Amino acid sequence: MKFILNIIWLVLCGFWMAVGYVVAALICFVLIITIPFGIASLRIAGYALWPFGRTTVERRDAGAGSLIGNVIWFVFAGWWLALGHIVTGIALCITIIGIPLGIANFKLIPVSLMPLGREIVPTDQAFAGRW
């Protein structure tokens, strides 16, 4: 089922959202000081391309640097990527078939706003290391 949802996701919105993250990464790579943001953006692009079967968890070793970086990311790139997820999610929720994909788009909004200090893991490993 995850495979079928990922294929439908890829065709309807995943490719375009991943392109948005890649564009943000390229802009970050041009500005030398924002290379860590570019790396995070490429990581999220892979997640936005094929999200079903994976989730994000907070990294325990993330500190104040991640917080400051997330504030900078939010101001320069996060808000417009989140806006893309909102618009795409609403468009997908108009049809009954697209509702699960729209909900998945809404679940990507937090990671698009604050990508630093998060790790993308398979869903079966999301809570394995927490105990």
Side-chain angles (χ1 to χ4, degrees):
M1 189 63 168
K2 290 185 277 190
F3 180 75
I4 293 170
L5 283 172
N6 277 322
I7 294 296
I8 296 170
W9 171 272
L10 181 68
V11 171
L12 294 180
C13 66
F15 177 75
W16 299 111
M17 291 309 300
V19 166
Y21 283 105
V22 169
V23 167
L26 292 175
I27 292 170
C28 289
F29 287 144
V30 169
L31 307 168
I32 304 296
I33 198 163
T34 56
I35 288 176
F37 300 120
I39 293 169
S41 184
L42 286 179
R43 188 170 32 102
I44 300 170
Y47 181 51
L49 198 61
W50 204 260
F52 293 99
R54 299 191 294 171
T55 189
T56 61
V57 294
E58 292 182 22
R59 291 179 51 194
R60 292 185 183 258
D61 60 347
S66 293
L67 176 67
I68 294 168
N70 280 329
V71 170
I72 295 169
W73 172 263
F74 177 81
V75 170
F76 291 107
W79 67 271
W80 63 269
L81 290 168
L83 184 64
H85 284 295
I86 291 169
V87 169
T88 307
I90 290 171
L92 286 169
C93 284
I94 290 174
T95 65
I96 292 177
I97 295 172
I99 289 174
L101 303 174
I103 292 170
N105 241 322
F106 297 139
K107 288 182 180 179
L108 282 169
I109 292 172
V111 76
S112 70
L113 289 174
M114 293 183 246
L116 302 174
R118 301 200 61 85
E119 187 176 4
I120 299 167
V121 297
T123 53
D124 56 348
Q125 295 178 1
F127 299 103
R130 295 207 177 237
W131 299 102

